Amino acid sequence: MAPAIRIVRHARARRARLSIDPTSGEARLTVPARGSVNAALRWAETQRAWIAAQQSRLPEPRPFAPGAEIPFGDTRLIVDWDAALPRRVTRDGDRLVCGGPADGLARRITTWLRREALNILSGDTAYYAARAGVVVTQVTVGDPRGRWGSCAASGAIRYSWRLVLAPEHVRRATVAHEVAHRLHMDHSPAFHAAAARILGDDPAPARVWLRTHGAALHWIGRDV
């Protein structure tokens, strides 16, 4: 059976367009607001070879399995699993030691990574907020596909937990970016100047890294 194509209507689309979501591999068919879905689907079916070629270039899934290496900041952690050990995941140097049934192992590792991400990102946020002289009311983590962080007018900042899988300079630049939104809720020149000042470095390399490698972070921990 051919993979499903998700249909998305877009008010500003002028014609049907196919794209591949780099974080999930999903094929998306964008259709104008008043366009014919059936006609667009018939056209999309003629593009199956293109879809397959694009999907073949996507990163390989990297499941959280025994022996797997997980990027973690500027280091790598190796999943060291033994069914006889306690279920709780603990870090011992460059090893993530965990036990219990193999079923649920990936979930337990993900839970540990999310908890660590919240701790690390909360600490980073407090540091850069102090540098900026601003107040951040709350820090949370999630797993969005479209953004690495967001800052609300209330002062709450939400990050992708997957930032802990990126190099440290990328994570820190992303945090400084979101903290800078406490000064400027836009992406004006004043905002970018504030973000660089808060970071104390040029954030451009981090942006380039995320554009180049960011999508691959969403394939870490994925089984299929």
Side-chain angles (χ1 to χ4, degrees), residues 11-75:
R12 289 182 290 183
R14 295 184 178 182
R15 59 183 177 81
R17 182 173 64 87
L18 271 171
S19 61
I20 304 298
D21 183 344
T23 67
S24 68
E26 178 184 63
R28 293 179 179 176
L29 176 61
T30 301
V31 182
R34 297 187 179 182
S36 168
V37 171
N38 288 336
L41 278 173
R42 286 195 296 272
W43 169 75
E45 287 299 327
T46 70
Q47 304 300 310
R48 284 290 182 182
W50 179 88
I51 293 172
Q54 297 302 309
Q55 290 175 332
S56 71
R57 297 188 181 100
L58 293 169
E60 289 290 329
R62 297 171 59 182
F64 293 147
E69 287 192 1
I70 303 171
F72 190 76
D74 293 340
T75 65

Side-chain angles (χ1 to χ4, degrees), residues 81-88 98-105 108:
W81 173 77
D82 182 337
L85 295 174
R87 292 170 179 252
R88 182 180 179 184
C98 41
D103 183 31
L105 174 63
R108 296 195 294 277

Side-chain angles (χ1 to χ4, degrees), residues 1-211:
M1 181 180 296
I5 298 174
R6 187 159 76 89
I7 299 169
V8 179
R9 284 201 179 271
H10 197 293
R12 289 182 290 183
R14 295 184 178 182
R15 59 183 177 81
R17 182 173 64 87
L18 271 171
S19 61
I20 304 298
D21 183 344
T23 67
S24 68
E26 178 184 63
R28 293 179 179 176
L29 176 61
T30 301
V31 182
R34 297 187 179 182
S36 168
V37 171
N38 288 336
L41 278 173
R42 286 195 296 272
W43 169 75
E45 287 299 327
T46 70
Q47 304 300 310
R48 284 290 182 182
W50 179 88
I51 293 172
Q54 297 302 309
Q55 290 175 332
S56 71
R57 297 188 181 100
L58 293 169
E60 289 290 329
R62 297 171 59 182
F64 293 147
E69 287 192 1
I70 303 171
F72 190 76
D74 293 340
T75 65
R76 291 192 174 267
L77 302 177
I78 299 172
V79 177
D80 187 354
W81 173 77
D82 182 337
L85 295 174
R87 292 170 179 252
R88 182 180 179 184
V89 179
T90 58
R91 180 178 179 180
D92 182 4
D94 64 352
R95 297 183 303 134
L96 277 187
V97 181
C98 41
D103 183 31
L105 174 63
R107 175 184 53 78
R108 296 195 294 277
I109 292 174
T110 301
T111 298
W112 184 89
L113 287 167
R114 288 179 68 114
R115 187 184 308 117
E116 289 297 302
L118 180 58
N119 290 336
I120 292 169
L121 290 163
S122 294
D124 288 345
T125 302
Y127 173 76
Y128 287 117
R131 283 177 63 99
V134 299
V135 174
V136 174
T137 59
Q138 185 183 32
V139 174
T140 57
V141 297
D143 194 13
R145 291 180 179 176
R147 57 176 59 188
W148 298 104
S150 60
C151 179
S154 64
I157 295 180
R158 185 172 180 80
Y159 299 103
S160 166
W161 71 262
R162 294 179 184 274
L163 282 169
V164 295
L165 306 176
E168 291 183 7
H169 78 96
V170 174
R171 188 193 73 236
R172 291 194 297 265
T174 305
V175 172
H177 179 106
E178 297 306 328
V179 169
H181 278 309
R182 296 296 293 126
L183 297 172
H184 304 280
M185 290 295 288
D186 53 32
H187 288 100
S188 63
F191 162 80
H192 288 295
R197 185 174 65 252
I198 294 166
L199 178 63
D201 201 355
D202 181 5
R207 292 196 297 268
V208 171
W209 192 96
L210 282 173
R211 284 197 299 270

